[in-house]
Amino acid sequence: MSSMDQSTTSEAEREIDKLLGLHPKGFDLSLERITGLLEILGNPQKKLPPVIHVAGTNGKGSVTAFCRALLEAGGKSVHVHTSPHLVNWHERYRIGVKGGRGQLVDDAVFAEALRRVADANAGQKITVFEILTAVTFLLFSEHPADAAIIEVGLGGRFDATNVISDPAVSVIMPISLDHQPYLGDRVELIAAEKAGIMKRGIPVVIGHQQYDAALDVLTTTAERLHCPTAVFGQDFSAHEEYGRLVYQDEFGLADLSLPRLPGRHQHANAAAAIRAVKAAGFIVTDAMMEKAMTTVEWPGRLQRLTEGKLFARAPAGAEIWVDGGHNPGAGEVIAEAIANFEERQPRPLFLITGMINTKDPIGYFKAFAGLAEKVFCVPIKHSDAMIDPVILAHAAYDAGLVAEPMSSVGEALDSIAASLQPDSLPPRILIGGSLYLVGDVLADNGTPPK
């Protein structure tokens, strides 16, 4: 979510900078503006390949990555829209390549699409996210592909992507508290917003839900709309057995390699993707599933750094992970994954955390109480909404952790190195709490997503 410096700013980024100067930041949940703009553009959202439409609080990006890996393993070309980006805006648009790995959108093609959409909008009131969503539909309608995976930006019902009237399948991933000012302060209210992407008679796949109240809303809505529905834990499932992933649904059972993405939560995400691709009408073979488990990629989500400028600054032998999870639900699954790492190979755990002020830092930190030795709270360079590191450190303390504010990730790495005893095991370091922070880290480390 960082940008390049001015000397390397791309043509598309200059166009986006113009838009950010003209239009309000943030979200203004409504479909009227995007519908009118798309009408002027010739309704490109009606000219897409089969769409897998994905909503949820956590796991949207991971299930999107698994769906893409599955389809590409079957030789399909797949467009992918995700948000937000980590380092460059281009990450939001992956253009499908027949028989190969989709590529991030070409800068000149992206810039031209931005200009066309901005010209069509003709200065009318709109948000930049709505313009970027219109760009998604324009790009994906003009480049042939076998499928398009489109991730909801915020909520579902009034998200700009919800102008898709006939997706091949709607996918709802785990729901927990996040974006409460927009979506409500109870999981059932948030679930109702996410359920807004369901369309009458269109298949729905519901991923693992922690809260019964959320699951009840989702299944009730699907039933009311007569949607063929598959629910994790009831109609399909996945679990680890003897170091393998066992996936099962009404079509059969598959014995697969464990997913490349670490953490037990990824087993459920992989299962939801397999079931979603089947529900979308694609044939899924055991060979496709096996290949997808071993090739799936999703930057910034329990991503291990093994090289780069910041990596070189860390203590010798340190194990460094970055993860953009930023709400209590994400904190729980990340902490569980880290605890599993600890069980296999004990190391002292340190957190380097930055967050923005729309999140629940205490809820996030509580998941790491008793697990992390210390939290170093840092600023986020590219967000006006960051929580001051001193205030964030107080939140970590209130969650039962030892915490200290720092001026940067680099300074925190230096402090960790200085705190280690000569006979200490090399540390395990988790840098996260915000996708903005992860974007900064990947940019500063010299390892942006590709």
Side-chain angles (χ1 to χ4, degrees), residues 68-322:
R68 174 192 158 210
L70 273 167
L71 288 163
E72 288 186 345
K76 303 297 185 184
S77 55
V78 188
H79 296 326
V80 182
H81 168 266
T82 56
S83 66
H85 60 280
L86 293 172
V87 179
N88 298 312
W89 291 92
H90 305 65
E91 297 165 32
R92 297 178 179 227
Y93 311 92
R94 191 172 289 275
I95 305 300
V97 176
K98 191 68 177 176
R101 181 177 183 270
Q103 303 295 315
L104 299 186
V105 64
D106 175 79
D107 185 65
V109 172
F110 187 15
E112 176 62 19
L114 284 162
R115 283 191 289 268
R116 287 169 61 193
V117 173
D119 289 347
N121 189 59
Q124 296 298 306
K125 181 181 176 183
I126 202 164
T127 66
V128 173
F129 181 77
E130 288 168 318
I131 288 180
L132 293 172
T133 302
V135 166
T136 300
F137 298 135
L138 198 64
L139 289 171
F140 289 6
S141 68
E142 294 182 349
H143 292 79
D146 298 308
I149 309 167
I150 296 179
E151 183 186 311
V152 166
L154 176 63
R157 184 164 56 116
F158 291 120
D159 183 77
T161 66
N162 204 30
V163 294
I164 301 167
S165 59
D166 57 345
V169 62
S170 304
V171 184
I172 314 287
M173 294 306 288
I175 290 168
S176 62
L177 293 174
D178 200 5
H179 300 294
Q180 290 96 314
Y182 292 101
L183 305 178
D185 58 1
R186 303 197 311 275
V187 290
E188 55 266 39
L189 296 177
I190 295 174
E193 292 298 321
K194 309 289 187 186
I197 72 164
M198 297 181 189
K199 304 297 187 297
R200 182 169 295 276
I202 299 293
V204 170
V205 171
I206 298 174
H208 173 64
Q209 300 297 326
Q210 179 182 355
Y211 300 102
D212 289 342
L215 181 58
D216 288 346
V217 170
L218 298 177
T219 54
T220 300
T221 305
E223 186 176 345
R224 175 171 56 81
L225 294 172
H226 302 288
C227 300
T229 306
V231 178
F232 180 85
Q234 298 176 22
D235 305 297
F236 66 97
S237 64
H239 66 276
E240 183 177 349
E241 192 172 299
Y242 303 114
R244 303 280 292 172
L245 182 72
V246 178
Y247 170 82
Q248 188 167 9
D249 62 19
E250 66 268 41
F251 303 109
L253 181 145
D255 175 32
L256 308 168
S257 295
L258 289 175
R260 225 178 129 205
L261 303 182
R264 192 176 65 175
H265 60 291
Q266 296 295 3
H267 303 171
N269 292 339
I274 293 168
R275 191 62 187 81
V277 171
K278 290 181 178 182
F282 294 96
I283 294 172
V284 177
T285 66
D286 285 5
M288 287 169 62
M289 289 187 275
E290 177 63 25
K291 185 175 181 180
M293 295 307 108
T294 58
T295 59
V296 63
E297 295 179 331
W298 189 226
R301 281 72 172 183
L302 276 182
Q303 175 185 351
R304 187 170 178 180
L305 299 185
T306 57
E307 60 180 355
K309 296 175 184 175
L310 285 175
F311 177 81
R313 193 166 171 176
E319 183 181 298
I320 303 179
W321 300 86
V322 295

Side-chain angles (χ1 to χ4, degrees), residues 42 47 59 69 72 75 113 145 156 182 188 251 287 333 342 405 421-422 436:
K47 304 168 187 174
E72 288 186 345
Y182 292 101
E188 55 266 39
F251 303 109
V333 296
E342 172 68 14
Q421 299 300 315
Y436 289 95

